[in-house]
Structure formats: C-alpha cells, structure tokens
C-alpha cells in the first residue's frame, strides 16, 4: 500500500481538508521545506564569506525531497526526538567529502524545523487565501442581490425582529474579509528562525546576524531582531489568525445549517448528488455546512494546545516546542478545508425569498412588537409602552389586541398601528450596513 503524502489522501482527510492546501502540508512538503532551509543556510553562509559558493551550491543541489525517504527519516527521528537530525545525516552523506563539514553549519534542529513549518504555513496560505477570497466574493454577491429580501432575525434561538437576508450575508462577508486580512498580515510577517544551539549564533562568529538576514531573504521570510526559540508569538499569531478564519466560516456554516432545516426552509445547499443519506432517500443534508461546522468544533482544541505549548523554559524547550508541530499542521489542514467548503457552499447557496417572507408573515406581527412600543414610548414612557405591548403579545391576534386596547388607540390610529406592523418600516440601517460591508470587501481586493 502506498503511504499517503498529503492529509487529503487519507480516508477521512478529504472530509476536513482541501487538496490544494493539503498538498503543502504532507510529509514530502515538510521534507522539502526542511531541505529548502538547509539550502538557504548554505547559500547565506557563502554570501557572508563563511564557505565557498561552489560548496553551498553543491549542498543545495542535494536538497531535493525525492532523494530521501520520509518514512525512513520518521523512523530514525525517534532516536533524536526530531526528524532534522537524521535528515542532516542523510544530506551530509549525499554531498561530496569537501562539502560535508558545511552541511547545517551554525544551525540547530529547531532552526530548521521552525523555519520549515513557517515556510509550509506561508505556502499553504496561498491557496487557502484564494478559497477565502472566493467565499467572500460569493457572500458579497448574496448581500447585494438580497439587500431587500425580508428575513426573520433570530436572537437566542427565537424569532426577534425583521432584517434582510442581504444584511445576514453582509455579516458573513465582513467576517470573511476580516479573517482574510488577519491571515494575510500574519503570513507577511512570519519570521525565519536561526539561532544556533542556544540562540547566540556563536558557531557563525561575527557574521551571525548577517547570515541570519541573508538566510531569511533566501526564504522570503522576515528576519527577526533575534532568535525566537522560546518566544513563540509568531506561531501564536498564526494560530489566532487561523482560528479566526475557522470561526468566521463556522458562523456561516451554522447559519446555513439552521436556515436549511426543513421547518425553516429559507436556504438550501446546491450541488447535484450531494447531501444524500445511506438510509433515507428523501434526505438532502447540508453537507458543506456540516463539515465546516465540524472543523470549527475541532480547531479550538488545536489552538489551545499551541497556546499551552508556548510557555517554554530557558533557551530551548523540553516538550513545549515538540508539542506544536502536528497541531499547527492540523490547524492549517482544517482551515484550508473550511475555507474551500465555505466558498463552495456560498457560491451554490439557493435562497428561497418567498419562504423567508412567509416566515416573516407567519410571525403574526409579533416581530414588530418593538416597533409598536417605540411609537408609544414618547407618549407613555418606555417602560409603560413595553408593558402594554407585552400584554398584547399574549393574545392570539396581536394586531387585534392592539386595536382593542384603549391605551393604544389613545395614541395610535389603525393606520399608524398597521404602519408599525409593516416589517419594511423597521429595517433601520440594514441597507447602509450592507453597503459598508460591500465597500470593505472592495477595499480588500484592490
């Protein structure tokens, strides 16, 4: 059996990831990222005069993942506690004798693995951000198209007041836009790691800082002021940005799942042949909503692990650093899948505007109780008006109860009651907020 090289190749991995994101997260990708770090280290050292350029290129020429066996390196890693040690041994054996002393010169295992994981994150973020942009584009289309589509707003699980589906979609949109901006910023500021054994770069002599700067430049990463072996803020920033992304897509997914319930029926996921049940032929399950929600349930535990692991001791940690590797890759995997599925879900979302209006009308005017109280408040005071309207809501026919109440009729005519019960008159600034969300989206794509 061929071992999987990407999380999406696993039996369950395809349900939580996205193939193009996962292509940057598998064992081969990690191996290549570590080798890219070794090549950059050799070239940086040569540019700073520590070794011949020909020697650096000889080392870089052997930094190709297809020359090494990830599974064998993984088995050998047990002896040293990380895969860099056996990789350095294999790379050293692969180069000529004169180049061997310069392999991994001045670095420590943590430098290689930290920087490789940062590289993987940046590389995985490229397709991930494209999915997020697609999701935002789809949400923007829904917000603009349905800015006038009446919908029941629901708070604490209960019918509350009228809104528009455009505003609902605008809320989704802004969450996606903000999540994308945060992740873009974090990825643009992720640093390389080069500190040597205890963060002093003593093995590189006075050239250490210059080598670190050239090293980061070769990899397209930021050169930090000093090594961050036990100062894990870069990874915490990344974890928080990924968590925000999964939360933003999870909010969309939960809303879609609730609105797609049979009894609500306001939206449905698109996609021919999707959503079937193994037992019930009539079912049309909101699969993307379900899987994105599942990712949103899993991600916080991974984030918690990364934040817990960030409390690290002395110059290099015993266990805290090691605890980060797999949760970080798992979080990138989940975020990629959530972004891709959110994009597909929103692009194919079927909106039933008639059902939305029917649900508004089916509330029997109760969702306008706030509007009626607001009309009475100037004459009666807010508390008295609230209590009066509350009594009317307990009656079978809210409108009739209002019209039969002398205290109401003393201040509101029948026409004024009907105006207060018109949901389109109680939408506040919904349209302006949709415009603001769309403007934020346009600004994020310019």
């Amino acid at each position: 059996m061929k071992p999987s090289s990407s999380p999406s190749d696993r039996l369950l991995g395809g349900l939580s990831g996205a193939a193009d994101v996962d292509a940057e997260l598998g064992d081969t990708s990690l191996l290549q990222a570590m080798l890219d770090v070794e090549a950059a280290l050799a070239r940086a050292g040569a540019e700073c005069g520590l070794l011949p350029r020909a020697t650096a290129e000889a080392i870089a020429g052997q930094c190709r993942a297809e020359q090494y066996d990830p599974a064998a390196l993984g088995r050998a890693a047990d002896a040293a506690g990380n895969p860099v040690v056996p990789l350095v041994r294999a790379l050293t054996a692969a180069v000529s004798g004169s180049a061997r002393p310069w392999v991994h010169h001045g670095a420590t295992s943590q430098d290689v693995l930290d920087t490789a994981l940062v590289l993987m994150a940046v590389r995985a973020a490229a397709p991930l951000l494209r999915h997020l942009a697609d999701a935002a584009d789809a949400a923007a289309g829904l917000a603009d198209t349905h800015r006038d589509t009446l919908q029941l707003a629901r708070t604490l699980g209960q019918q509350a007041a009228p809104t528009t589906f455009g505003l609902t979609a605008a809320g989704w949109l802004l969450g996606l836009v903000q999540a994308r901006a945060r992740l873009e910023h974090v990825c643009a500021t992720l640093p390389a790691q080069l500190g040597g054994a205890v963060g002093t770069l003593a093995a590189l002599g006075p050239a250490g800082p210059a080598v670190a700067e050239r090293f980061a430049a070769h990899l397209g990463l930021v050169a930090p002021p000093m090594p961050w072996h036990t100062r894990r803020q870069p990874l915490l920033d990344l974890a928080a940005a990924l968590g925000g992304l999964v939360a933003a897509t999870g909010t969309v997914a939960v809303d879609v799942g609730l609105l797609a319930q049979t009894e609500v029926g306001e939206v449905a996921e698109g996609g021919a042949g999707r959503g079937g049940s193994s037992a019930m032929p009539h079912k049309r399950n909101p699969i993307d909503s379900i899987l994105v929600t599942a990712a949103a349930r899993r991600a916080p535990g991974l984030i918690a692990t990364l934040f817990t692991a960030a409390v690290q001791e002395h110059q290099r940690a015993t266990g805290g650093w090691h605890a980060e590797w797999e949760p970080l890759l798992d979080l990138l995997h989940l975020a990629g899948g959530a972004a891709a599925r959110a994009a597909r879900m929103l692009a194919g979302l079927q909106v039933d505007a008639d059902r939305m209006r029917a649900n508004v009308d089916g509330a029997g005017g109760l969702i306008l109780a706030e509007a009626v109280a607001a009309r009475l408040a100037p004459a009666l005071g807010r508390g008295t008006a609230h209590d009066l309207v509350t009594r009317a809501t307990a009656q079978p026919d809210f409108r009739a109860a209002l019209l039969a109440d002398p205290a109401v009729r003393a201040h509101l005519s029948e026409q004024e009651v009907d105006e207060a019960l018109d949901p389109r008159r109680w939408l506040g600034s919904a349209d302006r907020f949709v415009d603001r969300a769309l403007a934020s989206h346009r600004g994020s794509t310019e």
Side-chain angles (χ1 to χ4, degrees):
M1 181 183 296
K2 182 182 178 181
S4 66
S5 60
S6 162
S8 285
D9 293 334
R10 302 168 191 158
L11 184 58
L12 297 179
L15 296 173
S16 51
D20 52 358
V21 177
D22 284 347
E24 305 293 346
L25 301 177
D27 289 345
T28 301
S29 297
L30 175 57
L31 176 55
Q32 186 59 61
M34 291 192 293
L35 289 165
D36 290 341
V37 172
E38 293 289 355
L41 177 65
R43 286 172 170 149
E47 289 170 0
C48 293
L50 297 183
L51 66 151
R53 288 182 182 268
T55 298
E57 291 307 314
I59 294 171
Q62 299 300 318
C63 291
R64 298 191 298 273
E66 64 269 20
Q67 296 182 193
Y68 306 90
D69 181 356
L73 292 172
R75 289 190 294 271
D78 182 63
N82 73 74
V84 178
V85 174
L87 176 62
V88 170
R89 189 179 302 119
L91 177 58
T92 301
V95 301
S96 63
S98 61
R100 287 175 182 173
W102 299 104
V103 172
H104 196 64
H105 178 63
T108 192
S109 296
Q110 186 170 354
D111 295 332
V112 176
L113 197 48
D114 274 352
T115 307
L117 289 171
V118 166
L119 270 182
M120 291 179 77
V122 171
R123 290 168 178 175
L128 195 163
L129 287 167
R130 288 195 295 270
H131 290 307
L132 205 54
D134 290 342
D137 287 344
L142 290 169
D144 196 25
T145 299
H146 292 282
R147 62 170 62 240
D148 297 322
T149 300
L150 280 175
Q151 184 191 27
L152 268 172
R154 299 165 174 93
T155 64
L156 306 181
Q158 303 294 305
Q159 296 177 355
T163 186
T164 66
F165 183 63
L167 185 59
T168 297
W172 298 343
L173 169 62
L174 202 54
L176 295 169
V177 167
Q178 291 169 342
R180 185 168 184 260
R182 282 193 296 270
L183 184 58
E184 284 181 327
H185 172 74
V186 168
C187 287
T189 57
L190 283 174
Q193 174 81 280
L194 185 61
V198 298
T200 63
L201 285 179
L204 297 180
V211 172
E213 289 179 6
R214 295 304 307 148
F215 172 71
H218 274 290
L219 296 168
L221 300 173
V222 171
M226 61 180 288
W228 44 280
H229 286 149
T230 55
R231 181 178 54 82
R232 310 306 286 172
Q233 194 62 48
L235 296 190
L236 297 185
D237 290 343
L238 177 59
L242 293 169
L245 184 164
V246 177
T249 57
T251 294
V252 178
V254 169
D255 279 352
V256 168
L258 291 172
L259 295 175
Q261 289 182 112
T262 306
E263 295 83 358
V264 178
E266 295 183 359
V267 303
E269 288 189 10
R274 294 181 58 77
S277 164
S278 64
M280 295 169 283
H282 69 286
K283 291 293 294 294
R284 186 181 177 189
N285 299 313
I287 296 302
D288 283 327
S289 165
I290 290 166
L291 294 177
V292 175
T293 300
R297 303 284 191 244
R298 291 173 59 188
L302 299 171
I303 297 166
T305 297
L306 289 166
F307 272 74
T308 301
V311 180
Q312 299 186 5
E313 70 280 9
H314 301 308
Q315 281 67 50
R316 301 270 304 287
T318 54
W321 169 55
H322 306 71
E324 297 169 341
W325 311 333
E326 289 172 296
L328 178 61
L329 295 179
D330 287 345
L331 186 56
L332 285 161
H333 164 75
L334 289 177
R341 286 179 177 80
R344 180 171 62 189
M345 178 173 60
L346 289 169
L349 196 67
Q350 299 170 0
V351 180
D352 191 336
D354 292 337
R355 183 63 175 265
M356 288 183 179
R357 181 58 198 250
N359 286 340
V360 169
D361 293 340
L366 292 176
I367 60 171
L368 279 306
E370 181 189 26
V372 177
R375 291 206 175 208
L376 290 169
L380 301 177
R382 185 177 181 279
T384 300
H386 184 277
D387 292 343
L388 187 156
V389 175
T390 298
R391 289 195 297 271
T393 63
Q395 302 304 311
D397 188 328
F398 179 50
R399 178 179 181 275
L402 291 171
L403 293 175
D405 190 318
V408 173
R409 294 308 301 275
H411 302 286
L412 299 179
S413 67
E414 181 175 355
Q415 179 181 343
E416 288 171 327
V417 169
D418 286 338
E419 288 175 353
L421 295 177
D422 180 355
R424 292 200 174 277
R425 292 175 177 267
W426 200 248
L427 294 175
S429 301
D431 195 55
R432 293 173 62 188
F433 291 147
V434 170
D435 285 338
R436 290 182 178 183
L438 292 172
S440 293
H441 175 55
R442 288 191 295 270
S444 72
T445 59
E446 292 176 354

